[in-house]
Amino acid sequence: MATKEKVCLAYSCSVSGGLDTSCILAWLLEKGYDVVCFMADIGQEEDFEAAKLKALSVGASAVHVEDVREEFVKELCFPAIQCNASYENVYLLGTSLARPVIARAQIAVALRENCVAVSHGCTGKGNDQVRFELAFYALKPDIKVIAPWRIPEFYNRFQGRNDLLDYAAKVGIPVSQTKAKPWSMDENMAHCSYEAGILEDPNMTPPKDMWKLTVDPQDAPDAPENFTVHFEKGIPVKLEYENGKAVSDPVQLFLTANAIARRNGVGRIDIVENRFIGIKSRGCYETPGLTILRSAHLDLEGLTLDREIRALRDQFVTIGYSRVLYNGLYFSPEREFLEASIVASQKTVNGTVRCQVYKGYFSVLGRSSATEKLYDMDESSMDIIGGLEPIDSTGFINVQAIRLKK
């Protein structure tokens, strides 16, 4: 008998196996492939053992769970904080940030298992198909990619989630989604996203029980919570909270920031964005810890970062890096260039930010730096003349007015 071609499938383990990829696994088996399932532990709250058993019960020949949490925080989340990354001024790129480390780990598993192809459950209208496949081809140019949602035989058979639910019931695949709550979820350590189903109506308010990570701001504690974030070269290196407790390990620091923001209802957004592929999409996102760490960093830059460097970084690096992440071009020369620019811009961003969260809001109580002296209290004071003679401003204004007078 001929050996079956082996495929490495990115198996979504949302609530012990996502609807799409569980059905794709069964479909690939129908097509005669030997399927190895791959799952990335990227900090989502999941029973990986249950997901592994489920994939094996459906018919996977092997299941690999790869822990990528530390590289996710250090290689993706921290640089995003350093440059205040955001897409269209509001989305903190929680899904985009995770894709490079997931794709890299999947290719590594595919190589170990001698797979001829990799597969995923991304839709033909979304961003993730682009992100994963550009990463696959950058890491292994000769890899074959099987994208069922772009294969007519598949998408004509399964024209929506209801068809998938019917198929899952027919072949005996247990799933958590129902026709009453059909929205899609994607979770990692940085965020959880929600889309599809009733959320496709941009005027439909998300139901209260949809949100998974954060407490409803109205139900958050009635007393504010304070904490302090320490930064070195733009990277959070220590978080102090709850009467003297402190954490410095990158993953634990991020998880602690998550816990603080989650219990205080911080980090929810509901937006309509422009997908890379050219259509608009409504998405609801929870990004708790990343929201407060980025906000603290943004504040510290006001004290420690030179004006012209900040302007250049904001105009070119922040926008460019955010777009590179969103569009799936992490494994590209432009990302390497932009990331080097991020590091160069952050040499002076050292100090502490005292923060407060309360019922969905983040605020800064104070900031300080022991090493950077760009801010001079005497120079800025309204009560002390300092090194700037007020009369000097007359000439400055006159020069600035020349063009306007013309």
Side-chain angles (χ1 to χ4, degrees), residues 388-402 405:
L388 176 66
E389 292 284 343
I391 194 172
D392 293 341
S393 294
T394 302
F396 176 79
I397 293 169
N398 287 337
V399 171
Q400 294 298 316
I402 292 173
K405 288 180 178 181

Side-chain angles (χ1 to χ4, degrees), residues 66-382:
E66 302 293 312
D67 187 344
V68 296
R69 291 174 298 172
E70 184 172 0
E71 59 196 90
F72 175 52
V73 172
K74 294 170 70 172
E75 296 181 31
L76 275 301
C77 294
F78 281 178
I81 291 168
Q82 283 182 299
C83 77
N84 309 313
S86 70
Y87 181 69
E88 298 186 334
N89 298 316
V90 62
Y91 172 44
L92 300 191
L93 301 159
T95 300
S96 315
L97 289 167
R99 296 330 188 204
V101 291
I102 294 173
R104 185 168 60 196
Q106 185 175 356
I107 288 293
V109 168
L111 292 174
R112 290 203 305 267
E113 286 279 359
N114 296 313
C115 295
V116 301
V118 290
S119 184
H120 60 73
C122 305
T123 71
K125 291 184 178 181
N127 293 312
D128 277 341
Q129 58 178 338
V130 181
R131 294 167 183 155
F132 278 122
E133 292 183 37
L134 291 181
F136 293 153
Y137 292 132
L139 295 165
K140 186 169 173 48
D142 62 345
I143 194 68
K144 177 182 177 183
V145 178
I146 300 174
W149 282 116
R150 298 204 308 268
I151 299 173
E153 178 189 348
F154 186 89
Y155 66 70
N156 286 327
R157 180 179 178 184
F158 306 108
Q159 296 185 22
R161 277 181 163 70
N162 286 345
D163 290 338
L164 291 174
L165 288 165
D166 291 340
Y167 177 69
K170 179 181 177 181
V171 299
I173 300 173
V175 293
S176 61
Q177 287 180 312
T178 68
K179 294 182 180 181
K181 293 185 177 182
W183 54 72
S184 174
M185 296 170 56
D186 179 76
E187 183 185 355
N188 59 51
M189 193 187 305
H191 96 149
C192 188
S193 66
Y194 311 84
E195 60 183 11
I198 62 171
L199 300 178
E200 290 176 353
D201 178 356
N203 200 33
M204 173 67 71
T205 301
K208 185 174 181 178
D209 63 352
M210 179 194 76
W211 303 99
K212 181 177 185 289
L213 300 184
T214 56
V215 169
D216 189 303
Q218 296 182 32
D219 300 329
D222 292 329
E225 181 171 357
N226 299 341
F227 60 96
T228 299
V229 186
H230 299 253
F231 291 89
E232 290 181 5
K233 298 181 179 179
I235 294 175
V237 294
K238 184 167 73 170
L239 192 155
E240 295 177 288
Y241 65 107
E242 288 184 359
N243 300 319
K245 294 181 182 178
V247 60
S248 298
D249 173 78
V251 172
Q252 293 306 313
L253 187 154
F254 203 92
L255 290 173
T256 302
N258 266 344
I260 292 170
R262 289 176 64 169
R263 60 178 171 254
N264 288 280
V266 175
R268 293 184 181 185
I269 62 169
D270 178 352
I271 63 172
V272 176
E273 67 198 71
N274 291 293
R275 285 179 177 168
F276 186 29
I277 202 167
I279 62 176
K280 288 186 180 290
S281 170
R282 192 269 187 93
C284 298
Y285 303 108
E286 292 177 288
T287 318
L290 189 61
T291 294
I292 63 175
L293 293 174
R294 177 184 180 274
S295 297
H297 172 266
L298 187 63
D299 179 83
L300 183 62
E301 286 191 327
L303 182 70
T304 61
L305 190 57
D306 175 78
R307 181 184 72 176
E308 297 305 317
I309 291 177
R310 184 171 188 169
L312 287 169
R313 193 280 316 278
D314 288 350
Q315 184 176 1
F316 299 107
V317 180
T318 297
I319 293 175
Y321 189 71
S322 301
R323 187 172 296 157
V324 161
L325 287 173
Y326 190 85
N327 293 348
L329 293 165
Y330 182 82
F331 296 102
S332 67
E334 58 266 39
R335 190 273 305 174
E336 294 179 5
F337 168 78
L338 288 165
E339 209 158 87
S341 300
I342 293 171
V343 173
S345 76
Q346 296 295 291
K347 294 177 182 178
T348 64
V349 185
N350 308 299
T352 63
V353 184
R354 295 186 298 108
C355 312
Q356 183 176 93
V357 284
Y358 177 64
K359 290 190 177 295
Y361 290 96
F362 168 91
S363 57
V364 171
L365 301 177
R367 77 287 294 163
S368 62
S369 176
T371 61
E372 307 309 324
K373 305 300 179 184
L374 295 177
Y375 179 82
D376 186 319
M377 289 180 63
D378 288 348
E379 189 174 70
S380 300
S381 175
M382 297 296 183

